[in-house]
Amino acid sequence: MSARSIYDRPLRRPRQEVSLSSFAFLFSEFIQYSQKRIQTIPELEEKLREAGERVGVRVLELCTLRERATKRETRILGILSFITTVVWRSLFGRQAEALEKSAETDDEYMISEREPLFVKSISVPKDLGHLSCASFTAGIVKGVLDHSGFPARVTAHHVPTDAQPLRTTILVKFDEDVMERERSLA
Amino acid sequence: MARNLQRAGELAFAKMEKINSEVLTLTYGSIVAQLVKDYEDVEEVNKQLEMMGYNMGIRLVDEFLAKSHVGSCQSFRDSAEVIAKVGLRMFLGVSATVSQWSQDGNEFSLVMEENPLHEFVDIPEHLRGLYYCNILCGVIRGALEMLNMRVDAQYVRCKLRGDAHSEIRVKLIEILEDQYPEDDE
């Protein structure tokens, strides 16, 4: 008799929900935990990015499977589009607000959010700023990119405006290998 | 006075702002993975998870009281039902059942059939001693302590370890007196 393992459970299930505050409390606690093990804020952001990457890898698998994608993305705009629509909808219930290409360099792209989900719900001490939470999201993006063949440096930046005090940009800088491939495919 | 706790749980859950459970599941998994990386000993990871849960519980209870409109519990039995039907429902979207009360009424089991934190989880052999959801034990301990009940909460059965369901045993150790701040003139 074989035991029913997790591999037997269907992946396509009706969407289940939990309260946002469960996530907020958990995430907040994780930040506290991480803070005890680092010395500087960039190190904290790195820890959060790493945590996000582990999520990104799995989100990539889940979303790809559910989208029944028959071809994998090979172009930059393709994968970024996948992230800002499919992945974002899966995680946040809506598409990313904006995806832009940098005017200055051709290997940089920006994903912008007026009020990122994670940042909105967490209240961290003033000295940590908003970057902590967005770093987690940046990690998720990095996880997806690195594991779909688009290695990149991904960082989060708080870019508040008067109208949008929580505005955040996730900056993606693709590795040279990716750019070379992109150029040859053009 | 019979209260329909099931209904209270549904209502409270309906009012909460919600997210896809998979975000919580994957984030929790990532956190456990980090703890496993940081600590070599599985017992230490269990302890850390419980402590994190405790810190969450002492803060989460305020939101619970504010949004559940459940009113004060008359007894430990009442508290148990409230946790199972309202608390867990409100935050995790699932209910539990309370069973196996001890003779003296100071111990009970919280049985969970479903747990969103368990999705996609497979525990490798070398981490057999891990109580993956130990954070819940801490949350229960922290929340009840804020309500003047010192308890001990432990996992006795876990679905991820091959058991049929997950079960947390909660034991009341003592009722705490209200702490009043010292009079300062």
PDB file of all heavy atoms in Angstrom, chain A residues 139-175:
ATOM      1  N   GLY A 139      14.098  39.567  -4.119  1.00  0.00           N
ATOM      2  CA  GLY A 139      14.624  38.202  -4.071  1.00  0.00           C
ATOM      3  C   GLY A 139      13.751  37.247  -4.862  1.00  0.00           C
ATOM      4  O   GLY A 139      14.248  36.364  -5.564  1.00  0.00           O
ATOM      5  N   ILE A 140      12.452  37.424  -4.743  1.00  0.00           N
ATOM      6  CA  ILE A 140      11.537  36.554  -5.482  1.00  0.00           C
ATOM      7  C   ILE A 140      11.787  36.717  -6.975  1.00  0.00           C
ATOM      8  O   ILE A 140      11.915  35.733  -7.723  1.00  0.00           O
ATOM      9  CB  ILE A 140      10.061  36.883  -5.151  1.00  0.00           C
ATOM     10  CG1 ILE A 140       9.764  36.568  -3.688  1.00  0.00           C
ATOM     11  CG2 ILE A 140       9.126  36.099  -6.058  1.00  0.00           C
ATOM     12  CD1 ILE A 140       8.353  36.890  -3.243  1.00  0.00           C
ATOM     13  N   VAL A 141      11.910  37.973  -7.418  1.00  0.00           N
ATOM     14  CA  VAL A 141      12.170  38.247  -8.836  1.00  0.00           C
ATOM     15  C   VAL A 141      13.492  37.605  -9.259  1.00  0.00           C
ATOM     16  O   VAL A 141      13.584  36.952 -10.299  1.00  0.00           O
ATOM     17  CB  VAL A 141      12.202  39.775  -9.097  1.00  0.00           C
ATOM     18  CG1 VAL A 141      12.648  40.075 -10.518  1.00  0.00           C
ATOM     19  CG2 VAL A 141      10.830  40.380  -8.845  1.00  0.00           C
ATOM     20  N   LYS A 142      14.498  37.751  -8.402  1.00  0.00           N
ATOM     21  CA  LYS A 142      15.801  37.174  -8.725  1.00  0.00           C
ATOM     22  C   LYS A 142      15.709  35.657  -8.830  1.00  0.00           C
ATOM     23  O   LYS A 142      16.292  35.049  -9.712  1.00  0.00           O
ATOM     24  CB  LYS A 142      16.826  37.563  -7.655  1.00  0.00           C
ATOM     25  CG  LYS A 142      18.216  37.015  -7.951  1.00  0.00           C
ATOM     26  CD  LYS A 142      19.264  37.692  -7.075  1.00  0.00           C
ATOM     27  CE  LYS A 142      20.560  36.912  -7.087  1.00  0.00           C
ATOM     28  NZ  LYS A 142      21.169  36.872  -8.422  1.00  0.00           N
ATOM     29  N   GLY A 143      14.966  35.053  -7.909  1.00  0.00           N
ATOM     30  CA  GLY A 143      14.787  33.600  -7.937  1.00  0.00           C
ATOM     31  C   GLY A 143      14.189  33.148  -9.260  1.00  0.00           C
ATOM     32  O   GLY A 143      14.642  32.171  -9.871  1.00  0.00           O
ATOM     33  N   VAL A 144      13.189  33.878  -9.708  1.00  0.00           N
ATOM     34  CA  VAL A 144      12.540  33.526 -10.975  1.00  0.00           C
ATOM     35  C   VAL A 144      13.518  33.711 -12.138  1.00  0.00           C
ATOM     36  O   VAL A 144      13.657  32.850 -12.995  1.00  0.00           O
ATOM     37  CB  VAL A 144      11.277  34.385 -11.207  1.00  0.00           C
ATOM     38  CG1 VAL A 144      10.692  34.113 -12.585  1.00  0.00           C
ATOM     39  CG2 VAL A 144      10.236  34.101 -10.142  1.00  0.00           C
ATOM     40  N   LEU A 145      14.207  34.835 -12.152  1.00  0.00           N
ATOM     41  CA  LEU A 145      15.118  35.130 -13.271  1.00  0.00           C
ATOM     42  C   LEU A 145      16.287  34.158 -13.325  1.00  0.00           C
ATOM     43  O   LEU A 145      16.588  33.597 -14.375  1.00  0.00           O
ATOM     44  CB  LEU A 145      15.645  36.565 -13.151  1.00  0.00           C
ATOM     45  CG  LEU A 145      14.642  37.657 -13.483  1.00  0.00           C
ATOM     46  CD1 LEU A 145      15.236  39.030 -13.179  1.00  0.00           C
ATOM     47  CD2 LEU A 145      14.217  37.586 -14.943  1.00  0.00           C
ATOM     48  N   ASP A 146      16.951  33.963 -12.177  1.00  0.00           N
ATOM     49  CA  ASP A 146      18.122  33.092 -12.162  1.00  0.00           C
ATOM     50  C   ASP A 146      17.767  31.686 -12.633  1.00  0.00           C
ATOM     51  O   ASP A 146      18.562  31.037 -13.303  1.00  0.00           O
ATOM     52  CB  ASP A 146      18.702  32.996 -10.742  1.00  0.00           C
ATOM     53  CG  ASP A 146      19.512  34.223 -10.365  1.00  0.00           C
ATOM     54  OD1 ASP A 146      19.654  35.126 -11.218  1.00  0.00           O
ATOM     55  OD2 ASP A 146      19.997  34.280  -9.221  1.00  0.00           O
ATOM     56  N   HIS A 147      16.593  31.227 -12.280  1.00  0.00           N
ATOM     57  CA  HIS A 147      16.229  29.852 -12.601  1.00  0.00           C
ATOM     58  C   HIS A 147      15.489  29.703 -13.921  1.00  0.00           C
ATOM     59  O   HIS A 147      15.062  28.609 -14.272  1.00  0.00           O
ATOM     60  CB  HIS A 147      15.419  29.247 -11.445  1.00  0.00           C
ATOM     61  CG  HIS A 147      16.271  28.966 -10.249  1.00  0.00           C
ATOM     62  ND1 HIS A 147      16.727  27.717  -9.937  1.00  0.00           N
ATOM     63  CD2 HIS A 147      16.800  29.807  -9.342  1.00  0.00           C
ATOM     64  CE1 HIS A 147      17.496  27.795  -8.853  1.00  0.00           C
ATOM     65  NE2 HIS A 147      17.555  29.053  -8.483  1.00  0.00           N
ATOM     66  N   SER A 148      15.310  30.786 -14.647  1.00  0.00           N
ATOM     67  CA  SER A 148      14.786  30.623 -16.001  1.00  0.00           C
ATOM     68  C   SER A 148      15.833  31.003 -17.024  1.00  0.00           C
ATOM     69  O   SER A 148      15.537  31.210 -18.183  1.00  0.00           O
ATOM     70  CB  SER A 148      13.504  31.408 -16.226  1.00  0.00           C
ATOM     71  OG  SER A 148      13.354  32.453 -15.344  1.00  0.00           O
ATOM     72  N   GLY A 149      17.084  31.092 -16.580  1.00  0.00           N
ATOM     73  CA  GLY A 149      18.164  31.338 -17.526  1.00  0.00           C
ATOM     74  C   GLY A 149      18.444  32.808 -17.768  1.00  0.00           C
ATOM     75  O   GLY A 149      19.023  33.177 -18.782  1.00  0.00           O
ATOM     76  N   PHE A 150      18.029  33.659 -16.833  1.00  0.00           N
ATOM     77  CA  PHE A 150      18.274  35.094 -16.988  1.00  0.00           C
ATOM     78  C   PHE A 150      18.951  35.645 -15.743  1.00  0.00           C
ATOM     79  O   PHE A 150      18.399  36.502 -15.037  1.00  0.00           O
ATOM     80  CB  PHE A 150      16.951  35.845 -17.190  1.00  0.00           C
ATOM     81  CG  PHE A 150      16.275  35.566 -18.497  1.00  0.00           C
ATOM     82  CD1 PHE A 150      15.426  34.464 -18.631  1.00  0.00           C
ATOM     83  CD2 PHE A 150      16.475  36.391 -19.592  1.00  0.00           C
ATOM     84  CE1 PHE A 150      14.802  34.190 -19.826  1.00  0.00           C
ATOM     85  CE2 PHE A 150      15.847  36.135 -20.806  1.00  0.00           C
ATOM     86  CZ  PHE A 150      15.013  35.037 -20.921  1.00  0.00           C
ATOM     87  N   PRO A 151      20.166  35.151 -15.433  1.00  0.00           N
ATOM     88  CA  PRO A 151      20.810  35.632 -14.203  1.00  0.00           C
ATOM     89  C   PRO A 151      20.922  37.151 -14.205  1.00  0.00           C
ATOM     90  O   PRO A 151      21.240  37.761 -15.224  1.00  0.00           O
ATOM     91  CB  PRO A 151      22.194  34.970 -14.241  1.00  0.00           C
ATOM     92  CG  PRO A 151      22.384  34.475 -15.631  1.00  0.00           C
ATOM     93  CD  PRO A 151      21.031  34.254 -16.214  1.00  0.00           C
ATOM     94  N   ALA A 152      20.631  37.722 -13.032  1.00  0.00           N
ATOM     95  CA  ALA A 152      20.627  39.182 -12.943  1.00  0.00           C
ATOM     96  C   ALA A 152      20.877  39.608 -11.512  1.00  0.00           C
ATOM     97  O   ALA A 152      20.718  38.839 -10.573  1.00  0.00           O
ATOM     98  CB  ALA A 152      19.262  39.718 -13.395  1.00  0.00           C
ATOM     99  N   ARG A 153      21.281  40.859 -11.406  1.00  0.00           N
ATOM    100  CA  ARG A 153      21.369  41.488 -10.082  1.00  0.00           C
ATOM    101  C   ARG A 153      20.046  42.196  -9.854  1.00  0.00           C
ATOM    102  O   ARG A 153      19.617  42.988 -10.697  1.00  0.00           O
ATOM    103  CB  ARG A 153      22.502  42.520 -10.086  1.00  0.00           C
ATOM    104  CG  ARG A 153      23.671  42.133  -9.214  1.00  0.00           C
ATOM    105  CD  ARG A 153      24.575  43.336  -8.938  1.00  0.00           C
ATOM    106  NE  ARG A 153      24.082  44.104  -7.797  1.00  0.00           N
ATOM    107  CZ  ARG A 153      24.129  45.429  -7.696  1.00  0.00           C
ATOM    108  NH1 ARG A 153      24.610  46.154  -8.660  1.00  0.00           N
ATOM    109  NH2 ARG A 153      23.677  46.040  -6.632  1.00  0.00           N
ATOM    110  N   VAL A 154      19.379  41.904  -8.744  1.00  0.00           N
ATOM    111  CA  VAL A 154      18.079  42.525  -8.501  1.00  0.00           C
ATOM    112  C   VAL A 154      18.088  43.220  -7.155  1.00  0.00           C
ATOM    113  O   VAL A 154      18.425  42.620  -6.146  1.00  0.00           O
ATOM    114  CB  VAL A 154      16.940  41.470  -8.515  1.00  0.00           C
ATOM    115  CG1 VAL A 154      15.585  42.141  -8.467  1.00  0.00           C
ATOM    116  CG2 VAL A 154      17.039  40.581  -9.751  1.00  0.00           C
ATOM    117  N   THR A 155      17.733  44.486  -7.159  1.00  0.00           N
ATOM    118  CA  THR A 155      17.714  45.231  -5.890  1.00  0.00           C
ATOM    119  C   THR A 155      16.428  46.047  -5.789  1.00  0.00           C
ATOM    120  O   THR A 155      15.791  46.350  -6.797  1.00  0.00           O
ATOM    121  CB  THR A 155      18.909  46.209  -5.816  1.00  0.00           C
ATOM    122  OG1 THR A 155      18.979  46.935  -7.033  1.00  0.00           O
ATOM    123  CG2 THR A 155      20.214  45.460  -5.596  1.00  0.00           C
ATOM    124  N   ALA A 156      16.082  46.401  -4.552  1.00  0.00           N
ATOM    125  CA  ALA A 156      14.864  47.183  -4.339  1.00  0.00           C
ATOM    126  C   ALA A 156      15.235  48.580  -3.887  1.00  0.00           C
ATOM    127  O   ALA A 156      16.193  48.760  -3.130  1.00  0.00           O
ATOM    128  CB  ALA A 156      14.007  46.522  -3.267  1.00  0.00           C
ATOM    129  N   HIS A 157      14.479  49.561  -4.383  1.00  0.00           N
ATOM    130  CA  HIS A 157      14.763  50.948  -4.026  1.00  0.00           C
ATOM    131  C   HIS A 157      13.475  51.671  -3.672  1.00  0.00           C
ATOM    132  O   HIS A 157      12.481  51.575  -4.380  1.00  0.00           O
ATOM    133  CB  HIS A 157      15.456  51.653  -5.208  1.00  0.00           C
ATOM    134  CG  HIS A 157      16.698  50.949  -5.630  1.00  0.00           C
ATOM    135  ND1 HIS A 157      17.940  51.307  -5.166  1.00  0.00           N
ATOM    136  CD2 HIS A 157      16.881  49.869  -6.428  1.00  0.00           C
ATOM    137  CE1 HIS A 157      18.843  50.486  -5.683  1.00  0.00           C
ATOM    138  NE2 HIS A 157      18.235  49.609  -6.442  1.00  0.00           N
ATOM    139  N   HIS A 158      13.542  52.371  -2.573  1.00  0.00           N
ATOM    140  CA  HIS A 158      12.391  53.144  -2.124  1.00  0.00           C
ATOM    141  C   HIS A 158      12.471  54.506  -2.785  1.00  0.00           C
ATOM    142  O   HIS A 158      13.454  55.229  -2.602  1.00  0.00           O
ATOM    143  CB  HIS A 158      12.461  53.261  -0.600  1.00  0.00           C
ATOM    144  CG  HIS A 158      11.291  53.941   0.003  1.00  0.00           C
ATOM    145  ND1 HIS A 158      11.377  54.687   1.155  1.00  0.00           N
ATOM    146  CD2 HIS A 158       9.994  54.002  -0.376  1.00  0.00           C
ATOM    147  CE1 HIS A 158      10.197  55.177   1.456  1.00  0.00           C
ATOM    148  NE2 HIS A 158       9.336  54.778   0.558  1.00  0.00           N
ATOM    149  N   VAL A 159      11.494  54.814  -3.583  1.00  0.00           N
ATOM    150  CA  VAL A 159      11.521  56.077  -4.311  1.00  0.00           C
ATOM    151  C   VAL A 159      10.248  56.862  -4.034  1.00  0.00           C
ATOM    152  O   VAL A 159       9.371  56.994  -4.894  1.00  0.00           O
ATOM    153  CB  VAL A 159      11.706  55.828  -5.836  1.00  0.00           C
ATOM    154  CG1 VAL A 159      13.094  55.322  -6.125  1.00  0.00           C
ATOM    155  CG2 VAL A 159      10.680  54.817  -6.345  1.00  0.00           C
ATOM    156  N   PRO A 160      10.139  57.383  -2.818  1.00  0.00           N
ATOM    157  CA  PRO A 160       8.872  58.024  -2.442  1.00  0.00           C
ATOM    158  C   PRO A 160       8.634  59.330  -3.188  1.00  0.00           C
ATOM    159  O   PRO A 160       9.574  60.047  -3.518  1.00  0.00           O
ATOM    160  CB  PRO A 160       9.055  58.283  -0.946  1.00  0.00           C
ATOM    161  CG  PRO A 160      10.527  58.383  -0.749  1.00  0.00           C
ATOM    162  CD  PRO A 160      11.158  57.496  -1.771  1.00  0.00           C
ATOM    163  N   THR A 161       7.378  59.583  -3.438  1.00  0.00           N
ATOM    164  CA  THR A 161       6.971  60.891  -3.965  1.00  0.00           C
ATOM    165  C   THR A 161       5.943  61.427  -2.982  1.00  0.00           C
ATOM    166  O   THR A 161       5.499  60.704  -2.096  1.00  0.00           O
ATOM    167  CB  THR A 161       6.312  60.769  -5.352  1.00  0.00           C
ATOM    168  OG1 THR A 161       5.087  60.027  -5.202  1.00  0.00           O
ATOM    169  CG2 THR A 161       7.220  60.061  -6.331  1.00  0.00           C
ATOM    170  N   ASP A 162       5.575  62.677  -3.148  1.00  0.00           N
ATOM    171  CA  ASP A 162       4.563  63.246  -2.247  1.00  0.00           C
ATOM    172  C   ASP A 162       3.265  62.470  -2.337  1.00  0.00           C
ATOM    173  O   ASP A 162       2.620  62.170  -1.332  1.00  0.00           O
ATOM    174  CB  ASP A 162       4.297  64.724  -2.605  1.00  0.00           C
ATOM    175  CG  ASP A 162       5.442  65.589  -2.118  1.00  0.00           C
ATOM    176  OD1 ASP A 162       6.095  65.191  -1.134  1.00  0.00           O
ATOM    177  OD2 ASP A 162       5.698  66.632  -2.735  1.00  0.00           O
ATOM    178  N   ALA A 163       2.914  62.144  -3.559  1.00  0.00           N
ATOM    179  CA  ALA A 163       1.645  61.448  -3.752  1.00  0.00           C
ATOM    180  C   ALA A 163       1.744  59.982  -3.367  1.00  0.00           C
ATOM    181  O   ALA A 163       0.759  59.361  -2.960  1.00  0.00           O
ATOM    182  CB  ALA A 163       1.212  61.574  -5.210  1.00  0.00           C
ATOM    183  N   GLN A 164       2.927  59.398  -3.500  1.00  0.00           N
ATOM    184  CA  GLN A 164       3.097  57.965  -3.247  1.00  0.00           C
ATOM    185  C   GLN A 164       4.285  57.722  -2.329  1.00  0.00           C
ATOM    186  O   GLN A 164       5.387  57.397  -2.788  1.00  0.00           O
ATOM    187  CB  GLN A 164       3.309  57.229  -4.567  1.00  0.00           C
ATOM    188  CG  GLN A 164       2.129  57.390  -5.510  1.00  0.00           C
ATOM    189  CD  GLN A 164       2.433  56.851  -6.893  1.00  0.00           C
ATOM    190  OE1 GLN A 164       3.420  56.148  -7.084  1.00  0.00           O
ATOM    191  NE2 GLN A 164       1.587  57.167  -7.850  1.00  0.00           N
ATOM    192  N   PRO A 165       4.049  57.838  -1.043  1.00  0.00           N
ATOM    193  CA  PRO A 165       5.152  57.730  -0.092  1.00  0.00           C
ATOM    194  C   PRO A 165       5.765  56.327  -0.006  1.00  0.00           C
ATOM    195  O   PRO A 165       6.875  56.173   0.493  1.00  0.00           O
ATOM    196  CB  PRO A 165       4.497  58.102   1.249  1.00  0.00           C
ATOM    197  CG  PRO A 165       3.041  57.931   1.046  1.00  0.00           C
ATOM    198  CD  PRO A 165       2.764  58.163  -0.390  1.00  0.00           C
ATOM    199  N   LEU A 166       5.034  55.321  -0.472  1.00  0.00           N
ATOM    200  CA  LEU A 166       5.565  53.961  -0.381  1.00  0.00           C
ATOM    201  C   LEU A 166       6.106  53.451  -1.714  1.00  0.00           C
ATOM    202  O   LEU A 166       6.451  52.285  -1.845  1.00  0.00           O
ATOM    203  CB  LEU A 166       4.472  52.993   0.096  1.00  0.00           C
ATOM    204  CG  LEU A 166       3.963  53.200   1.518  1.00  0.00           C
ATOM    205  CD1 LEU A 166       2.859  52.194   1.817  1.00  0.00           C
ATOM    206  CD2 LEU A 166       5.077  53.028   2.525  1.00  0.00           C
ATOM    207  N   ARG A 167       6.177  54.336  -2.692  1.00  0.00           N
ATOM    208  CA  ARG A 167       6.572  53.892  -4.025  1.00  0.00           C
ATOM    209  C   ARG A 167       7.921  53.177  -4.008  1.00  0.00           C
ATOM    210  O   ARG A 167       8.893  53.644  -3.410  1.00  0.00           O
ATOM    211  CB  ARG A 167       6.635  55.092  -4.973  1.00  0.00           C
ATOM    212  CG  ARG A 167       6.768  54.666  -6.420  1.00  0.00           C
ATOM    213  CD  ARG A 167       6.602  55.825  -7.371  1.00  0.00           C
ATOM    214  NE  ARG A 167       6.680  55.353  -8.731  1.00  0.00           N
ATOM    215  CZ  ARG A 167       5.685  54.755  -9.383  1.00  0.00           C
ATOM    216  NH1 ARG A 167       4.539  54.597  -8.774  1.00  0.00           N
ATOM    217  NH2 ARG A 167       5.849  54.321 -10.618  1.00  0.00           N
ATOM    218  N   THR A 168       7.963  52.042  -4.656  1.00  0.00           N
ATOM    219  CA  THR A 168       9.167  51.212  -4.654  1.00  0.00           C
ATOM    220  C   THR A 168       9.490  50.766  -6.063  1.00  0.00           C
ATOM    221  O   THR A 168       8.584  50.479  -6.855  1.00  0.00           O
ATOM    222  CB  THR A 168       8.940  49.959  -3.788  1.00  0.00           C
ATOM    223  OG1 THR A 168       8.470  50.358  -2.518  1.00  0.00           O
ATOM    224  CG2 THR A 168      10.229  49.171  -3.620  1.00  0.00           C
ATOM    225  N   THR A 169      10.780  50.720  -6.359  1.00  0.00           N
ATOM    226  CA  THR A 169      11.208  50.220  -7.666  1.00  0.00           C
ATOM    227  C   THR A 169      12.119  49.029  -7.473  1.00  0.00           C
ATOM    228  O   THR A 169      13.029  49.055  -6.636  1.00  0.00           O
ATOM    229  CB  THR A 169      11.974  51.313  -8.437  1.00  0.00           C
ATOM    230  OG1 THR A 169      11.071  52.347  -8.751  1.00  0.00           O
ATOM    231  CG2 THR A 169      12.571  50.763  -9.724  1.00  0.00           C
ATOM    232  N   ILE A 170      11.863  47.987  -8.242  1.00  0.00           N
ATOM    233  CA  ILE A 170      12.770  46.840  -8.229  1.00  0.00           C
ATOM    234  C   ILE A 170      13.614  46.947  -9.482  1.00  0.00           C
ATOM    235  O   ILE A 170      13.102  46.944 -10.603  1.00  0.00           O
ATOM    236  CB  ILE A 170      11.972  45.525  -8.196  1.00  0.00           C
ATOM    237  CG1 ILE A 170      11.261  45.437  -6.847  1.00  0.00           C
ATOM    238  CG2 ILE A 170      12.905  44.331  -8.374  1.00  0.00           C
ATOM    239  CD1 ILE A 170      10.407  44.235  -6.680  1.00  0.00           C
ATOM    240  N   LEU A 171      14.910  47.069  -9.266  1.00  0.00           N
ATOM    241  CA  LEU A 171      15.827  47.277 -10.378  1.00  0.00           C
ATOM    242  C   LEU A 171      16.472  45.960 -10.768  1.00  0.00           C
ATOM    243  O   LEU A 171      17.038  45.257  -9.932  1.00  0.00           O
ATOM    244  CB  LEU A 171      16.907  48.272  -9.940  1.00  0.00           C
ATOM    245  CG  LEU A 171      17.947  48.646 -10.979  1.00  0.00           C
ATOM    246  CD1 LEU A 171      17.295  49.416 -12.115  1.00  0.00           C
ATOM    247  CD2 LEU A 171      19.027  49.511 -10.330  1.00  0.00           C
ATOM    248  N   VAL A 172      16.364  45.621 -12.049  1.00  0.00           N
ATOM    249  CA  VAL A 172      16.926  44.376 -12.558  1.00  0.00           C
ATOM    250  C   VAL A 172      18.074  44.710 -13.497  1.00  0.00           C
ATOM    251  O   VAL A 172      17.882  45.429 -14.471  1.00  0.00           O
ATOM    252  CB  VAL A 172      15.855  43.576 -13.340  1.00  0.00           C
ATOM    253  CG1 VAL A 172      16.456  42.285 -13.890  1.00  0.00           C
ATOM    254  CG2 VAL A 172      14.666  43.262 -12.464  1.00  0.00           C
ATOM    255  N   LYS A 173      19.253  44.189 -13.190  1.00  0.00           N
ATOM    256  CA  LYS A 173      20.395  44.411 -14.069  1.00  0.00           C
ATOM    257  C   LYS A 173      20.867  43.058 -14.558  1.00  0.00           C
ATOM    258  O   LYS A 173      21.422  42.265 -13.780  1.00  0.00           O
ATOM    259  CB  LYS A 173      21.513  45.125 -13.311  1.00  0.00           C
ATOM    260  CG  LYS A 173      22.628  45.625 -14.227  1.00  0.00           C
ATOM    261  CD  LYS A 173      23.675  46.388 -13.431  1.00  0.00           C
ATOM    262  CE  LYS A 173      24.860  46.779 -14.287  1.00  0.00           C
ATOM    263  NZ  LYS A 173      24.523  47.864 -15.235  1.00  0.00           N
ATOM    264  N   PHE A 174      20.648  42.779 -15.816  1.00  0.00           N
ATOM    265  CA  PHE A 174      20.985  41.467 -16.367  1.00  0.00           C
ATOM    266  C   PHE A 174      22.470  41.274 -16.547  1.00  0.00           C
ATOM    267  O   PHE A 174      23.199  42.204 -16.865  1.00  0.00           O
ATOM    268  CB  PHE A 174      20.286  41.254 -17.712  1.00  0.00           C
ATOM    269  CG  PHE A 174      18.800  41.063 -17.562  1.00  0.00           C
ATOM    270  CD1 PHE A 174      17.918  42.107 -17.859  1.00  0.00           C
ATOM    271  CD2 PHE A 174      18.274  39.859 -17.116  1.00  0.00           C
ATOM    272  CE1 PHE A 174      16.547  41.942 -17.718  1.00  0.00           C
ATOM    273  CE2 PHE A 174      16.911  39.680 -16.972  1.00  0.00           C
ATOM    274  CZ  PHE A 174      16.044  40.725 -17.266  1.00  0.00           C
ATOM    275  N   ASP A 175      22.912  40.013 -16.354  1.00  0.00           N
ATOM    276  CA  ASP A 175      24.323  39.668 -16.568  1.00  0.00           C
ATOM    277  C   ASP A 175      24.683  39.841 -18.051  1.00  0.00           C
ATOM    278  O   ASP A 175      23.817  39.762 -18.920  1.00  0.00           O
ATOM    279  CB  ASP A 175      24.579  38.209 -16.164  1.00  0.00           C
ATOM    280  CG  ASP A 175      24.629  38.024 -14.661  1.00  0.00           C
ATOM    281  OD1 ASP A 175      24.355  39.003 -13.936  1.00  0.00           O
ATOM    282  OD2 ASP A 175      24.938  36.907 -14.225  1.00  0.00           O
TER     283      ASP A 175
END
